[in-house]
């Protein structure tokens, strides 16, 4: 299950599972992840999950800036819409999150073929 971790000085303060197709981050009370930080817009950014066209059952996650005042950064670079990868650091305002994706990725595994004599 993919999730976002709220980090303060590299310590995980909170964690949110990314179960829905769209998760809104911001200061507004109706945001899925509400953040009390004056440098964050009321609806600052969102995380979107889309079905992977090539691997059935897998989802691809994207972060999208919602035309916020101070922008959204991914791994230290400003982004408008960008694909998320396991371990990515997302910064909105002064608040930092880490994206964790716990999906099994069998594409990186090597098959072992046993031969019978």
């Amino acid at each position: 299950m993919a999730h976002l971790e709220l980090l303060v000085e590299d310590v995980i303060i909170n964690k949110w599972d990314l179960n829905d197709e769209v998760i809104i981050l911001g200061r507004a009370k109706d945001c899925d992840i509400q953040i009390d930080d004056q440098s964050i817009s009321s609806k600052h950014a969102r995380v979107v999950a889309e079905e992977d066209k090539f691997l059935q059952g897998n989802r691809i996650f994207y972060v999208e800036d919602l035309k916020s005042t101070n922008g959204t950064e991914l791994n230290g670079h400003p982004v408008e819409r960008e694909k998320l990868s396991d371990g990515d650091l997302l910064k909105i305002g002064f608040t930092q999150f880490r994206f964790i994706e716990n999906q099994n990725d069998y594409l990186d595994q090597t098959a072992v073929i046993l031969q019978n004599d």
Side-chain angles (χ1 to χ4, degrees):
M1 173 68 53
H3 64 270
L4 284 180
E5 299 172 340
L6 174 61
L7 300 174
V8 175
E9 296 181 13
D10 291 328
V11 175
I12 301 168
I13 302 300
N14 206 343
K15 181 176 100 168
W16 293 270
D17 289 334
L18 301 176
N19 298 324
D20 298 330
E21 289 181 21
V22 177
I23 303 290
I24 305 290
L25 296 92
R27 282 187 299 120
K29 293 183 182 193
D30 62 339
C31 288
D32 300 302
I33 299 177
Q34 184 183 7
I35 307 157
D36 186 21
D37 179 344
Q38 293 301 313
S39 66
I40 294 176
S41 299
S42 58
K43 293 199 176 166
H44 194 103
R46 67 184 184 174
V47 174
V48 178
E50 297 178 0
E51 290 297 319
D52 189 328
K53 297 176 194 176
F54 304 105
L55 293 173
Q56 186 176 9
N58 281 352
R59 299 190 307 166
I60 299 172
F61 292 88
Y62 297 89
V63 62
E64 298 177 351
D65 184 74
L66 298 175
K67 302 193 185 311
S68 64
T69 303
N70 293 319
T72 300
E73 290 184 8
L74 183 62
N75 298 321
H77 302 286
V79 296
E80 290 183 22
R81 184 177 200 267
E82 193 70 38
K83 180 182 174 204
L84 292 170
S85 297
D86 189 50
D88 278 349
L89 294 176
L90 174 65
K91 186 174 178 188
I92 59 174
F94 296 114
T95 305
Q96 185 167 321
F97 296 89
R98 181 171 37 222
F99 173 74
I100 300 296
E101 186 172 28
N102 291 332
Q103 294 181 355
N104 291 328
D105 188 1
Y106 297 109
L107 297 177
D108 290 339
Q109 296 180 2
T110 302
V112 176
I113 301 172
L114 301 175
Q115 294 180 355
N116 291 331
D117 292 315

